[in-house]
PDB file of all heavy atoms in Angstrom:
ATOM      1  N   SER A 281       8.409 -98.002  50.995  1.00  0.00           N
ATOM      2  CA  SER A 281       7.433 -97.341  51.890  1.00  0.00           C
ATOM      3  C   SER A 281       6.902 -98.295  52.905  1.00  0.00           C
ATOM      4  O   SER A 281       7.212 -99.501  52.841  1.00  0.00           O
ATOM      5  CB  SER A 281       6.297 -96.722  51.031  1.00  0.00           C
ATOM      6  OG  SER A 281       5.726 -97.714  50.248  1.00  0.00           O
ATOM      7  N   CYS A 282       6.120 -97.812  53.885  1.00  0.00           N
ATOM      8  CA  CYS A 282       5.774 -98.666  55.054  1.00  0.00           C
ATOM      9  C   CYS A 282       4.727 -99.746  54.677  1.00  0.00           C
ATOM     10  O   CYS A 282       4.690-100.804  55.294  1.00  0.00           O
ATOM     11  CB  CYS A 282       5.300 -97.775  56.206  1.00  0.00           C
ATOM     12  SG  CYS A 282       3.547 -97.313  56.075  1.00  0.00           S
ATOM     13  N   GLY A 283       3.918 -99.469  53.661  1.00  0.00           N
ATOM     14  CA  GLY A 283       2.930-100.487  53.271  1.00  0.00           C
ATOM     15  C   GLY A 283       1.676-100.524  54.118  1.00  0.00           C
ATOM     16  O   GLY A 283       0.788-101.351  53.838  1.00  0.00           O
ATOM     17  N   GLU A 284       1.581 -99.716  55.165  1.00  0.00           N
ATOM     18  CA  GLU A 284       0.492 -99.796  56.089  1.00  0.00           C
ATOM     19  C   GLU A 284      -0.349 -98.530  56.271  1.00  0.00           C
ATOM     20  O   GLU A 284      -1.490 -98.599  56.669  1.00  0.00           O
ATOM     21  CB  GLU A 284       1.025-100.162  57.506  1.00  0.00           C
ATOM     22  CG  GLU A 284       1.714-101.521  57.562  1.00  0.00           C
ATOM     23  CD  GLU A 284       2.547-101.689  58.800  1.00  0.00           C
ATOM     24  OE1 GLU A 284       2.703-100.696  59.595  1.00  0.00           O
ATOM     25  OE2 GLU A 284       3.073-102.793  59.008  1.00  0.00           O
ATOM     26  N   CYS A 285       0.270 -97.377  55.985  1.00  0.00           N
ATOM     27  CA  CYS A 285      -0.426 -96.108  56.320  1.00  0.00           C
ATOM     28  C   CYS A 285      -1.479 -95.818  55.241  1.00  0.00           C
ATOM     29  O   CYS A 285      -1.606 -96.529  54.247  1.00  0.00           O
ATOM     30  CB  CYS A 285       0.602 -94.942  56.339  1.00  0.00           C
ATOM     31  SG  CYS A 285       1.313 -94.558  54.733  1.00  0.00           S
ATOM     32  N   CYS A 288      -0.073 -95.420  51.695  1.00  0.00           N
ATOM     33  CA  CYS A 288       0.323 -96.729  51.115  1.00  0.00           C
ATOM     34  C   CYS A 288      -0.928 -97.528  50.714  1.00  0.00           C
ATOM     35  O   CYS A 288      -0.938 -98.137  49.655  1.00  0.00           O
ATOM     36  CB  CYS A 288       1.185 -97.513  52.094  1.00  0.00           C
ATOM     37  SG  CYS A 288       2.876 -96.886  52.233  1.00  0.00           S
ATOM     38  N   CYS A 296       3.965 -91.596  51.397  1.00  0.00           N
ATOM     39  CA  CYS A 296       4.037 -92.250  52.714  1.00  0.00           C
ATOM     40  C   CYS A 296       5.049 -91.443  53.528  1.00  0.00           C
ATOM     41  O   CYS A 296       6.138 -91.120  53.081  1.00  0.00           O
ATOM     42  CB  CYS A 296       4.544 -93.669  52.525  1.00  0.00           C
ATOM     43  SG  CYS A 296       5.085 -94.471  54.053  1.00  0.00           S
ATOM     44  N   ALA A 297       4.672 -91.124  54.788  1.00  0.00           N
ATOM     45  CA  ALA A 297       5.552 -90.301  55.656  1.00  0.00           C
ATOM     46  C   ALA A 297       6.847 -91.084  55.952  1.00  0.00           C
ATOM     47  O   ALA A 297       7.864 -90.485  56.269  1.00  0.00           O
ATOM     48  CB  ALA A 297       4.820 -89.942  56.951  1.00  0.00           C
TER      49      ALA A 297
HETATM   50 ZN1  LIG B 183       3.184 -95.786  54.308  1.00  0.00          ZN
END
Side-chain angles (χ1 to χ4, degrees):
S281 54
C282 82
E284 297 165 353
C285 70
C288 286
C296 165

